[in-house]
Amino acid sequence: MNRQALHFYEFGVFRVDAQERLLYREGEVVPLTPKVFDTLLVLVQNSGHVLEKTELMQTLWPDSFVEESSLAQNISLLRKALGEGASERQYIETVPRRGYRFVAEVRETKREAAEATTTDETALTVAAPHADDVSHAPVARRRVRQVYVLMAAVLLCSAVAGFFYARAHKNRRAKTETAAKSIAVLPFKTLGTEDETELLGLGMADALIIKLGKLPRPSVLPTGSIIKYTKRDADALAIGRELGVDAVLDGTVQRAGERVRVTAQLVRLSDGKTLWSGKFDQQYSGIFAIQDSLSEQLAAALVSELTNNDRQRLAGGRLTQNTEAYQAYLMGLYFWNRRTEENLAKAIGYLQQAVEKDADFALAHAVLADCYYLCQTSGYKIVPRGEALRRADESARRALVLDDTIAEAHTAMAGVKMAYREFEEAGREFRRAIELNPNYAVARVRYGYFLFGSLRLEEAVAEMKRAQELDPASPVTNAALAFMLRMARDDDGAIKHNRRALELQPDTIGAHAGIAESYIRKGMFDEAHAEIEKVRQTEPLMAVQLRAYAFAAAGRRTEALAILSELQQSDASVPPINYALIYGHLGDKEKAFEWLNKDSFSPAARALLHFDPDLDPLRDDPRYEEILRREDIARASK
């Protein structure tokens, strides 16, 4: 008979089973990660004594490099599991500048394993036959035996069923324990490094985002959403809540000479539980191998079963082996994400350095292509628009020759094709980008606008919704979705997402303009003028047109006509469709169609002609339908 000792520690309503590594609260199992259980066991075994932080860390992570924050995280999770409040320290006391002490009274017990399996004699009883019924005693005894047999069978069946249920429940829990529909990979904290490597932590995050983004699940926030946390003081869980994700990957990277150490942990926001952790220590030149290993281990923790195709996706797209090129790329990536004219100029400079140091650095070519594409679409004067388009084309082609699996390169090429009005090819490039990286929100936003220009509004709305789900903390995705909802006549939804865009970036002028237009359609003219005033501070010409529209819709003809007269006498460049819209609301259809017939109708203008509810006053006129036929546009439904 096995007489192995069972070891228990009891305190308050809790019981620790040291052998089975379980914590019970009044008989119910309290889930703990292995490392948090180790922390608890060390504390209770040394109850009443102060354990120095260094001593605890050496005990819990022998022969490993970890930060003090890892210990603090374990203590925090343990306190939460024990039900300690922020001001209540019933079990674990923090000793300032030293360590921790378990202050609750702990009772230690042991008993033999064989005892634990012995049937309690009082657990099952059957009444004896009555004294007046002695003649029937043999029958009664047989009945007693039958009852014993029946009850034993029931207990056996229950035990077997319970075993299989527990095992199935455990398996289900194991598969779903790490389930996270969305994660944010935060810039790794860079510890004690020199200036030239301060963006190394951002590089680690970006590499993981690129790799994990290639998997169909979970959703991974893009680099643009997390880049602002590169130099952060905020807690990882607080950032995760701000970003609206299910889990965050938090880590550190430390370079010492030619060595680099990386630690990472995946934490679930709902309960603060660490779902996965890893430590890596290599030569700095091997940092790319660390990124590969980290991404595969993390993917395995997030996805219950990685397919061969998933593993191939993770293995593809190696960045570069040239550390100088990599550093230049990181700087370029940092400034590319900031999007302003000044920052894009810096991004181009760094990315050009990257491709000069490694001409085969495909991703650097792809991001460089996108920089030039943004210069062309934004009208930035870094290079002339025609030259910007030519360079975008050249860089995107070079990236695709080097690596056809880079979603960023296909997205940039799709933009180039749009500029060249090669719409069929542009659509193919967008779809290929999304196929390669389903989580690349930039591709989905631009594809959404492409679909809108192709008069496929329902698909455009769906694409923008997906982009916003992938990157909910982006003012761009929220404003883009708001625009599509406005075209789909959902003004309340449009106002909501425009407001969200402004919360994220208060100077998003397009969001103020979109809210104003929605208010005008809802007849909320005072609120509309308040938003227009905010537009006027940055975009006075846009504000003037919006004000004329608001006056016309409100029936204030004199004010609207005065603004229209001033606009027409000025040198202001106003799209003819905007004049038509305002005259339509004034009831002057002759003027409205006079202006509409002056428009050359770009793809965006054709889509507005088809969908924009602001043009509703003109839709019942036969001349409007004639323009739709002329432009080969199906009759817009109201």
Side-chain angles (χ1 to χ4, degrees):
M1 181 178 293
N2 180 6
R3 293 189 175 274
Q4 181 181 4
L6 301 181
H7 208 146
F8 300 94
Y9 298 93
E10 297 175 344
F11 56 92
V13 296
F14 293 96
R15 186 186 215 198
V16 179
D17 184 335
Q19 181 178 342
E20 295 297 328
R21 295 178 58 78
L22 292 173
L23 172 65
Y24 295 91
R25 180 195 287 114
E26 297 181 329
E28 296 290 329
V29 174
V30 179
L32 295 178
T33 63
K35 195 59 69 178
V36 173
F37 182 86
D38 290 342
T39 307
L40 171 63
L41 194 57
V42 173
L43 288 170
V44 297
Q45 287 174 339
N46 295 274
S47 63
H49 301 285
V50 176
L51 293 178
E52 303 287 342
K53 292 179 182 179
T54 53
E55 180 184 356
L56 270 171
M57 291 166 67
Q58 288 170 3
T59 302
L60 295 170
W61 292 279
D63 303 320
S64 297
F65 170 81
V66 295
E67 285 186 277
E68 190 177 298
S69 61
S70 297
L71 176 61
Q73 175 76 8
N74 271 9
I75 295 292
S76 174
L77 293 173
L78 182 54
R79 281 174 167 157
K80 184 177 294 186
L82 297 175
E84 285 193 341
S87 59
E88 179 187 13
R89 293 293 179 256
Q90 183 179 355
Y91 301 108
I92 304 171
E93 176 189 24
T94 299
V95 181
R97 294 184 295 279
R98 289 187 62 190
Y100 301 95
R101 174 167 49 200
F102 200 81
V103 295
E105 181 183 350
V106 176
R107 300 176 299 281
E108 185 176 357
T109 61
K110 294 182 181 180
R111 62 191 173 107
E112 299 296 333
E115 296 174 13
T117 59
T118 302
T119 304
D120 188 342
E121 293 179 358
T122 63
L124 181 64
T125 59
V126 180
H130 195 275
D132 294 337
D133 203 14
V134 175
S135 62
H136 298 289
V139 176
R141 283 195 294 272
R142 284 198 301 274
R143 287 176 179 170
V144 168
R145 286 196 296 272
Q146 290 170 356
V147 171
Y148 268 116
V149 170
L150 178 60
M151 294 190 70
V154 170
L155 288 172
L156 178 61
C157 290
S158 298
V160 171
F163 168 78
F164 283 107
Y165 171 80
R167 189 169 71 174
H169 180 70
K170 181 179 179 181
N171 289 340
R172 284 198 302 272
R173 186 175 60 193
K175 288 183 178 179
T176 60
E177 191 172 37
T178 60
K181 292 182 180 179
S182 59
I183 70 168
V185 180
L186 302 182
F188 283 35
K189 297 172 187 172
T190 310
L191 305 177
T193 58
E194 300 169 0
D195 291 341
E196 66 268 18
T197 58
E198 70 173 354
L199 289 180
L200 187 56
L202 173 63
M204 288 298 299
D206 179 62
L208 291 174
I209 289 167
I210 290 172
K211 287 179 175 293
L212 294 174
K214 295 178 180 180
L215 300 177
R217 63 199 184 283
S219 297
V220 183
L221 291 192
T223 303
S225 282
I226 57 93
I227 200 167
K228 63 184 177 181
Y229 302 109
T230 301
K231 299 176 182 179
R232 59 186 165 97
D233 297 321
D235 173 70
L237 294 180
I239 294 173
R241 285 188 285 271
E242 182 179 323
L243 293 171
V245 293
D246 297 326
V248 291
L249 182 75
D250 194 21
T252 65
V253 56
Q254 181 175 17
R255 183 178 178 183
E258 290 306 310
R259 300 292 295 180
V260 63
R261 288 177 171 179
V262 175
T263 68
Q265 61 177 351
L266 180 69
V267 183
R268 187 166 56 199
L269 264 70
S270 60
D271 56 7
K273 182 176 182 181
T274 298
L275 304 176
W276 172 87
S277 63
K279 306 176 207 48
F280 308 86
D281 191 340
Q282 284 196 15
Q283 289 290 114
Y284 179 63
S285 58
I287 192 169
F288 310 110
I290 291 179
Q291 292 169 351
D292 289 345
S293 179
L294 208 164
S295 62
E296 184 162 347
Q297 290 186 39
L298 180 57
L302 289 165
V303 181
S304 57
E305 294 182 6
L306 283 175
T307 66
N308 288 334
N309 187 43
D310 290 337
R311 294 185 189 279
Q312 289 173 4
R313 285 172 179 259
L314 288 170
R318 182 67 61 85
L319 299 179
T320 179
Q321 295 300 324
N322 186 310
T323 54
E324 290 184 0
Y326 186 55
Q327 287 295 333
Y329 161 76
L330 292 181
M331 294 298 292
L333 180 73
Y334 179 77
F335 288 112
W336 170 73
N337 271 286
R338 303 182 73 147
R339 291 297 196 273
T340 65
E341 185 168 2
E342 179 184 0
N343 286 312
L344 272 182
K346 292 179 181 178
I348 289 171
Y350 280 112
L351 291 165
Q352 284 177 334
Q353 288 180 34
V355 298
E356 286 168 6
K357 292 179 182 299
D358 181 358
D360 294 335
F361 194 170
L363 187 57
H365 283 289
V367 180
L368 181 59
D370 207 73
C371 286
Y372 284 125
Y373 167 74
L374 290 171
C375 287
Q376 188 267 337
T377 57
S378 303
Y380 292 155
K381 297 177 181 179
I382 300 170
V383 292
R385 294 186 70 171
E387 178 66 10
L389 185 58
R390 185 192 67 77
R391 292 188 190 181
D393 190 359
E394 182 181 88
S395 295
R397 289 181 188 279
R398 177 61 178 157
L400 291 171
V401 167
L402 292 167
D403 188 347
D404 187 48
T405 68
I406 297 178
E408 290 84 349
H410 285 282
T411 303
M413 181 56 76
V416 169
K417 294 295 184 183
M418 286 281 290
Y420 287 142
R421 302 181 74 85
E422 297 173 3
F423 300 119
E424 188 173 339
E425 292 87 342
R428 279 200 297 268
E429 292 292 343
F430 277 128
R431 289 187 291 273
R432 178 62 175 152
I434 292 169
E435 178 188 2
L436 289 167
N437 187 343
N439 293 316
Y440 191 33
V442 172
R444 290 189 179 273
V445 166
R446 294 182 189 174
Y447 187 44
Y449 283 119
F450 169 84
L451 291 169
F452 177 69
S454 302
L455 308 181
R456 294 153 64 183
L457 179 60
E458 187 174 342
E459 294 174 70
V461 171
E463 207 61 53
M464 292 306 191
K465 284 183 177 178
R466 182 58 183 145
Q468 194 275 337
E469 289 169 359
L470 289 169
D471 196 0
S474 164
V476 173
T477 60
N478 280 280
L481 174 56
F483 172 79
M484 289 304 166
L485 291 174
R486 201 157 50 79
M487 292 298 102
R489 300 166 183 268
D490 179 4
D491 282 303
D492 290 335
I495 291 170
K496 171 187 170 182
H497 285 286
N498 272 323
R499 288 284 181 215
R500 177 62 177 149
L502 289 167
E503 289 172 9
L504 294 163
Q505 187 171 315
D507 61 350
T508 308
I509 298 304
H512 283 299
I515 293 171
E517 290 184 273
S518 291
Y519 279 151
I520 291 169
R521 280 199 292 275
K522 291 168 70 71
M524 300 168 65
F525 298 111
D526 289 342
E527 293 83 350
H529 283 291
E531 294 296 326
I532 293 169
E533 179 58 26
K534 295 170 185 174
V535 174
R536 185 191 64 79
Q537 296 170 15
T538 306
E539 295 288 343
L541 180 58
M542 183 190 298
V544 167
Q545 295 172 71
L546 284 169
R547 203 172 294 284
Y549 171 32
F551 285 143
R556 296 168 62 176
R557 293 182 58 83
T558 303
E559 293 98 322
L561 288 170
I563 293 174
L564 285 171
S565 177
E566 289 178 15
L567 281 173
Q568 291 170 37
Q569 291 173 18
S570 70
D571 294 330
S573 178
V574 178
I577 197 170
N578 286 1
Y579 280 123
L581 181 156
I582 297 166
Y583 278 116
H585 280 273
L586 287 170
D588 191 341
K589 290 188 177 182
E590 294 302 322
K591 284 280 189 182
F593 282 104
E594 179 183 327
W595 280 103
L596 270 184
N597 285 312
K598 293 179 181 180
D599 206 319
S600 57
F601 294 112
S602 65
R606 291 174 74 248
L608 290 173
L609 194 66
H610 186 52
F611 297 114
D612 194 346
D614 293 342
L615 291 166
D616 281 357
L618 303 175
R619 293 189 187 279
D620 291 335
D621 193 293
R623 288 171 290 185
Y624 198 85
E625 195 155 349
E626 175 57 34
I627 293 174
L628 293 176
R629 281 197 298 270
R630 187 183 72 207
E631 296 295 327
D632 194 24
I633 301 173
R635 179 73 165 92
S637 59
K638 293 185 180 179

